[in-house]
Each structure stands twice: as structure tokens, then as C-alpha cells.
Amino acid sequence: MTRPATHIFRLLKWGRTLARHGALRGIERDPVTPPPVRRLVRLARFGTFQPKEPAYADALEAIGPAAIKLGQTLATRPDLVGENAARDLMRLQDTLPPVPFDKIEQEIRKAFQRPIEELFSSIDPDPVGAASIAQVHKAVTADGRTVAVKVLRPGVEREFARAIETYEWAAAQVESMGGELARLRPRLTIETFKRWTARELDLRREAASASELAEGMEAEPEFVIPEIDWQRTAGRVLTLEWIDGIKIADHDALDAAGHDRKHLAATLVHAFLRQAISEGFFHADLHQGNLFVRPDGKIAAIDFGIMGRIDRRARLWLAEILYGLITGNYKRVAEIHFEAGYVPSHHNLAEFTTALRAVGEPIRGLPVKDISIGHMLDGLFAITRDFEMPTQPHLLLLQKTMVMIEGVATSLDPDINMWKTAKPFVGEWLRSELGPEAAIADRLREDFATLARLPELIRRVEAELPQRGAAPPAPPLRDIQVIRVGVRWKYMLTAIVAAGVGIAGTLLWPF
């Protein structure tokens, strides 16, 4: 087990790295930053040379893959971090320094225990993308198909494990302080993040996720998933159909090719709603580096390492919350928060409704460009704090993806109205799920399922209650607290009990 001193050293080193690249300057200057945090930031930057422009991407890249994942998320939100910071973080998505090709070849040979020539007739040694966990090479299979080959970076599992271990340690220290920090549930949040990365580091699971998502997205023909080559896929190597297209972040190329960016933004939002609300299984890493526009105008997604799931009940709550915010039905939104247990029951429903209205009314109906994200987040954070709402780690992936989708859609169409775009889909889905036909269908399905389980239930009851034999049923025995004793006392007690039983048997024998 890693010693606390090692974790402290890592945290100090990461903080020093951020400070050296000027990445903590914004935190120090932000008026809402707590004084103790501001003092720690000043201590971290003491004696460092501060560049004129913060080098966020360089700082996160120097810290490691886990930090890079954070940077990829922030790159989609120039409204939160600023245009310059978002532009700098953008290159973390697929333009990191690549691993030498000879090491990539070794990983492929090791994964399949076969010569590469039997699998691919050619592989381009220059990667088309190099990200935090893996890099991708264009190749041609032995049967002549053009494919993309994704290979994990050597040693990436060890780097992630070391970083996450320190995150866990730090979260435990923070949560032990209690109060507001404990309400945020940092330990459970880090555990959720740990599970995300475990899935992403097994490329067979990524291939299975892509296959499952493709089935769920058949109703959205303008959003496509590449086909998996299962014969050339293993734990550390993934082979899939090659996608010819323009990166969705390259707006000039999209315009030159004649693509309608407003339509692309709406397609992306609908595709995400289909995944998250209708299917309950969604791509949770939809940043610009993972989205391409094909010549036919369809959006193609790649990189299925991080996927999210939401059960039907949570999806109904989510859809009703979204629809309530869209239509201004804050009372229903508040009721759902209480039903779902997101707000402790001792709080007042009417007061929570008013608090939601205070946040929702100023932004309802406005295009994203006219919404002050900072003011909205301040209002939401105030609500969660005032009403003691604990963090919901099972919704973190969804929240993270919604932030990404809004960022990408807004970059395509600054005038997009997210509420208006989502309203038809969410409303129709709610009618299909909560209407009378759906209620009758659910009741019939549950009743028939119960009837089908009756024979098995009877067999289990018979197994637990066999027919009476010659011996009478044993009487119930009362619970007796067991005394925990040492081995020597245990032997003495056993001898005393045995002697007592022997004496009682001798006295009762004549009777």
C-alpha cells in the first residue's frame, strides 16, 4: 500500500506543475475562491516563473492521462474557461505526442500472438490521432478493407492506477473533514471515475459498447457508429471500420463542403437525447475529437471507451425534469427531486420550487449565447448547498456528457436554443412512456411475468418445506450472545460443559 507521504508528494508535485504553467492564475484571481485555497495557490506558485499566457494543455499533459481527461472535458466549454484556454486544451483530444511505431507493433504482436502480416497487409506508421490512453493508425486488412487500429499506450494502466490511488487518498482526507466537503461525496465520485477508466482500458469492452450503441441508434440514421472487426480486436487492440469525414471542430472545412452546421447541431442533440433518455445507454465522451461529419452529412462517432447507463426509472425522472424546466413547470421538477431522493425529505417542497424558479426563469427560452453560465451555475450550486443535496455520482457521466454536447452544439450553432431543440423529443418520449397505453402495457407485462414465475416459486417453497419425516420438528432456539474468549479459556469452558453433561446424564439415567 502506498504511504501517505507518497500521496502528499504527488499532490504537491501536480500543484507545482500547474503553477509553473500558470494554470492556477485564474483560481487565485477569482473573487469567489475561498481564502485558504487562494493561500495554497500562492504557496504552490512561490518561486516559479509565470508565463504571460497560461499553458493549460502542457500542464495537464505533464501531470498524466487522468488529468488529460479533465482537460478534454473543459475544451468543449469556452464559455466557462475562455476562448484562449479552450483553444489550448483542444489539442489534448487527439494530438498528443505519439508512441514510437516499433512499440505499437510490439503491442499488436503481443495481443494476438501472431505475425502482423497475417492480420494487416499494411499499417501507416504515422498515427492519425494520439490521445491520452491510446493512439490510432490507419491500416488495410489482409482481405483489403481499410480500417482504423486503436492500440493502448504502453504502461498507461500503471499510470492511471497510480493517479487514481492518490485521488482516492485525497478524497478520503477531504471527506473526513465533514460539512460541505462531505456533502459532495468525493470518495464515491472518485470510485465512479475509477470504474469509468477500468472500462476504457479494456478495448474488448469498448468494441462491445460500440456494437450495442449501434443497435440502439438504428432509429437515428443521421448518427452512425463504425462497424467492429472482431477478428482483429483484443484487450489492448481494437480494429474498426475506417471513417472518412471532417472533424466536427473544423468549421471552415464543414462550410467549404456545404454542410449545414445548424442541422448538424440539432442532429447531435437529438442523437444524445435518443441515447440518454430513450435507450438509457449513451456515449459519454462526445468531445470534438470523437465526432466526424461524413460526405453524406451524417455524424459519425468514435472512441467508445466511456459509456453511461441510466435505468428506466431514472430516465423518466430525467425526462420530466428537462420537460418541466422547458415548460416552466417548476413544481413538478421539485416533486421529482423529492421522489428521487435528491433532496432530503425534511426540506419544504414549496421553498425548493421557488428556488428552482429563481434559476430557471432568467434563462428559459434564451439562446445559449445569451445565457450567463456562470450566474446559472452559481444559482444551482447555491440550491444544492442550501437544500443539503448530496452529489449523485451515478449521474456524473450524464452531467459531464451534457456539458460536452452543449459545448459542441453551441460551437456549431451559437444561436441554438437547447430547450427548444429538446422539447419535441422529450415531450413525445414522455407521452409514449407515461401515457395510458404505456401504463396498461406495463401492467400487463408485469402481471404476465408474475404468473410465469409462479411454478418456479412453488417449487422453491416445496424445497424449503419438505414433507414431515419420523423425527418431530425441532423447537425454536432463542438467541444467546456468544462470549469471545481466548483459546485456553475455550478449552476450559468445553471441559466444564462436558463434565456438566456427564453428571446430568448419570443422575437422570435411573429415570
Side-chain angles (χ1 to χ4, degrees):
M1 182 177 292
T2 305
R3 295 177 299 175
T6 302
H7 294 308
I8 294 173
F9 174 77
R10 289 175 186 167
L11 292 170
L12 289 174
K13 184 175 68 174
W14 295 341
R16 190 72 170 172
T17 300
L18 291 169
R20 190 169 58 251
H21 290 84
L24 297 180
R25 190 179 301 157
I27 297 176
E28 183 178 354
R29 294 176 178 175
D30 195 327
V32 301
T33 300
V37 175
R38 192 176 291 112
R39 286 193 291 269
L40 286 174
V41 170
R42 289 172 182 166
L43 180 63
R45 71 169 175 79
F46 180 76
T48 61
F49 174 76
Q50 298 288 300
K52 287 185 177 181
E53 292 294 332
Y56 300 103
D58 291 340
L60 297 179
E61 185 179 335
I63 292 174
I68 289 172
K69 281 294 174 188
L70 172 64
Q72 291 175 350
T73 301
L74 295 177
T76 68
R77 299 309 304 265
D79 52 342
L80 294 181
V81 300
E83 291 288 347
N84 294 335
R87 193 177 303 112
D88 183 55
L89 292 170
M90 188 79 70
R91 66 181 181 81
L92 290 174
Q93 292 171 350
D94 59 0
T95 56
L96 297 179
V99 175
F101 186 64
D102 59 335
K103 293 185 178 181
I104 295 297
E105 286 184 309
Q106 292 176 14
E107 291 295 328
I108 296 175
R109 278 195 294 268
K110 191 187 304 181
F112 296 104
Q113 297 295 312
R114 295 168 59 187
I116 295 181
E117 294 74 17
E118 294 183 9
L119 300 166
F120 306 101
S121 62
S122 66
I123 301 181
D124 189 344
D126 296 322
V128 295
S132 57
I133 288 179
Q135 64 188 51
V136 180
H137 292 258
K138 188 175 183 179
V140 178
T141 63
D143 54 0
R145 290 178 295 106
T146 303
V147 294
V149 182
K150 181 177 181 178
V151 184
L152 291 182
R153 287 174 172 261
V156 70
E157 297 96 334
R158 184 174 62 255
E159 292 182 40
F160 256 97
R162 185 169 60 241
I164 290 176
E165 186 182 20
T166 297
Y167 293 168
E168 289 176 316
W169 182 86
Q173 311 313 308
V174 168
E175 191 163 310
S176 66
M177 299 177 185
E180 178 70 9
L181 296 175
R183 181 185 67 81
L184 297 176
R185 303 165 81 182
R187 294 188 66 186
L188 194 54
T189 300
I190 295 299
E191 178 61 28
T192 304
F193 177 70
K194 182 179 179 180
R195 295 186 181 187
W196 300 347
T197 56
R199 298 190 197 111
E200 195 169 6
L201 293 172
D202 184 348
L203 297 185
R204 288 168 299 194
R205 294 180 66 177
E206 178 174 345
S209 295
S211 177
E212 182 177 350
L213 185 63
E215 293 180 1
M217 292 302 292
E218 290 179 354
E220 292 288 338
E222 294 189 74
F223 190 90
V224 297
I225 309 299
E227 186 177 351
I228 301 298
D229 185 340
W230 288 100
Q231 303 307 312
R232 294 170 178 81
T233 294
R236 296 182 59 82
V237 180
L238 167 63
T239 303
L240 67 166
E241 173 191 358
W242 178 261
I243 297 293
D244 279 315
I246 302 170
K247 286 186 178 181
I248 205 164
D250 192 346
H251 297 164
D252 292 338
L254 291 176
D255 293 340
H259 295 298
D260 184 350
R261 284 199 275 149
K262 292 182 180 292
H263 179 71
L264 291 175
T267 298
L268 184 62
V269 173
H270 287 156
F272 170 69
L273 292 173
R274 171 77 60 184
Q275 295 172 42
I277 295 180
S278 181
E279 300 298 326
F281 183 63
F282 61 94
H283 191 310
D285 203 17
L286 286 173
H287 58 71
Q288 291 100 322
N290 288 337
L291 294 167
F292 295 82
V293 179
R294 302 196 319 184
D296 59 3
K298 296 180 179 180
I299 297 176
I302 61 171
D303 195 357
F304 309 92
I306 302 181
M307 306 294 293
R309 289 190 187 276
I310 316 175
D311 63 30
R312 183 173 180 271
R313 190 179 184 189
R315 280 184 280 143
L316 285 170
W317 280 331
L318 172 65
E320 284 202 82
I321 288 172
L322 287 175
Y323 199 73
L325 291 174
I326 292 170
T327 59
N329 189 354
Y330 300 107
K331 185 175 186 297
R332 180 54 188 153
V333 175
E335 290 172 347
I336 296 168
H337 276 76
F338 277 81
E339 291 172 13
Y342 298 154
V343 180
S345 58
H346 62 268
H347 283 287
N348 185 276
L349 175 65
E351 288 297 326
F352 187 67
T353 302
T354 303
L356 287 173
R357 180 181 293 275
V359 176
E361 279 300 300
I363 65 174
R364 192 161 62 90
L366 293 177
V368 174
K369 68 175 184 178
D370 294 333
I371 296 174
S372 172
I373 299 296
H375 291 163
M376 184 187 71
L377 289 178
D378 286 345
L380 290 175
F381 288 149
I383 288 178
T384 61
R385 183 173 57 251
D386 294 344
F387 290 87
E388 303 172 283
M389 296 170 61
T391 300
Q392 303 295 328
H394 69 287
L395 295 179
L396 286 178
L397 265 182
L398 179 66
Q399 294 165 352
K400 164 183 173 288
T401 308
M402 290 177 72
V403 168
M404 284 186 173
I405 290 295
E406 185 185 30
V408 177
T410 305
S411 69
L412 291 169
D413 178 14
D415 294 320
I416 189 172
N417 186 316
M418 298 292 289
W419 302 125
K420 186 177 180 180
T421 305
K423 182 178 180 179
F425 180 91
V426 177
E428 180 61 31
W429 189 80
L430 282 175
R431 281 191 293 272
S432 66
E433 292 293 319
L434 298 179
E437 299 89 348
I440 294 173
D442 285 345
R443 182 61 183 268
L444 289 174
R445 184 169 58 251
E446 290 176 4
D447 290 347
F448 277 114
T450 302
L451 289 173
R453 291 196 301 268
L454 279 177
E456 176 63 22
L457 177 62
I458 294 172
R459 286 191 288 268
R460 288 167 58 188
V461 170
E462 289 179 341
E464 293 295 329
L465 300 173
Q467 294 182 354
R468 291 186 177 185
L477 304 176
R478 68 186 182 89
D479 294 332
I480 300 176
Q481 184 178 4
V482 178
I483 301 175
R484 303 296 179 184
V485 297
V487 175
R488 183 181 301 173
W489 286 100
K490 183 177 181 180
Y491 286 137
M492 292 178 64
L493 286 173
T494 303
I496 293 171
V497 172
V501 172
I503 293 171
T506 303
L507 293 175
L508 294 175
W509 177 252
F511 302 99

